[in-house]
Amino acid sequence: AARTYYNLVTAMFLCGLWHAAKMTFVLWGVFHGAFLIWERTMGRRPLYKNLPWPARLVITNAIVLFGWVLFRAPSLDQAFLYWGSMVGAVKPAASAGLLAAELFSPKHLFEMMLCAFFVWQPIQAHEWVKTLTGPKFVILGFLLLLSVVTMFTTAFSPFLYFQF
């Protein structure tokens, strides 16, 4: 078991180095290695297994988002500032557009409710398409069109790996 844990951390450490020889990427790799070890030792049962599944979903999402900060932050200092902003301990910098965004505007609330409807409905997407009807086809077509329009009207975001 100890050798497996060592191999997991080493492999993820090397993945961090592969992305770039910066401390943020190295820590991103170690962060993932630590969670892989945690998953192995817990038997894929989270520490928060007794919470309702929506709470578990939120906690898991928060862990992933905190890990992504390491991947995208230009420096470790910036990562700590961003984490502080994420939890409300630090005022977001003017350059942190997502943190300063209006998350709870009527438009965003509608979008979040729409997403929640599709995520938490009892019928999953692959089952929904199996019984495709006219109204479902119109809804899916509208969502596809909305996705394409949104994709082409957002700000320019270059491919991440072109920045190295």
Side-chain angles (χ1 to χ4, degrees):
R3 184 64 183 184
T4 299
Y5 301 153
Y6 171 79
N7 290 342
L8 287 170
V9 169
T10 302
M12 293 310 298
F13 169 79
L14 292 173
C15 285
L17 279 180
W18 177 81
H19 280 88
K22 287 175 35 181
M23 186 54 72
T24 55
F25 287 98
V26 170
L27 288 177
W28 170 82
V30 172
F31 176 85
H32 277 77
F35 275 98
L36 287 172
I37 290 171
W38 181 29
E39 180 185 49
R40 286 282 177 120
T41 58
M42 299 299 292
R44 295 185 179 213
R45 290 180 320 272
L47 285 174
Y48 44 87
K49 66 179 179 262
N50 294 327
L51 294 175
W53 73 266
R56 294 192 316 254
L57 185 84
V58 168
I59 292 169
T60 301
N61 191 38
I63 291 168
V64 170
L65 291 175
F66 273 81
W68 282 349
V69 168
L70 283 172
F71 195 84
R72 290 293 292 169
S75 69
L76 200 51
D77 290 338
Q78 288 292 322
F80 281 113
L81 286 173
Y82 206 92
W83 283 332
S85 297
M86 286 173 69
V87 297
V90 177
K91 186 173 177 6
S95 62
L98 286 177
L99 288 174
E102 291 183 29
L103 293 177
F104 299 108
S105 68
K107 176 187 174 220
H108 291 124
L109 286 172
F110 172 74
E111 291 168 350
M112 287 187 271
M113 287 188 294
L114 186 64
C115 289
F117 167 75
F118 284 108
V119 168
W120 287 314
Q121 69 170 332
I123 301 171
Q124 295 301 309
H126 63 277
E127 296 166 342
W128 211 60
V129 174
K130 285 180 186 176
T131 59
L132 194 59
T133 61
K136 286 182 184 179
F137 183 78
V138 170
I139 291 170
L140 290 174
F142 172 74
L143 290 174
L144 175 65
L145 180 65
L146 181 65
S147 299
V148 170
V149 168
T150 302
M151 184 173 63
F152 285 107
T153 58
T154 56
F156 174 71
S157 178
F159 183 58
L160 176 67
Y161 291 102
F162 290 156
Q163 298 176 19
F164 300 120

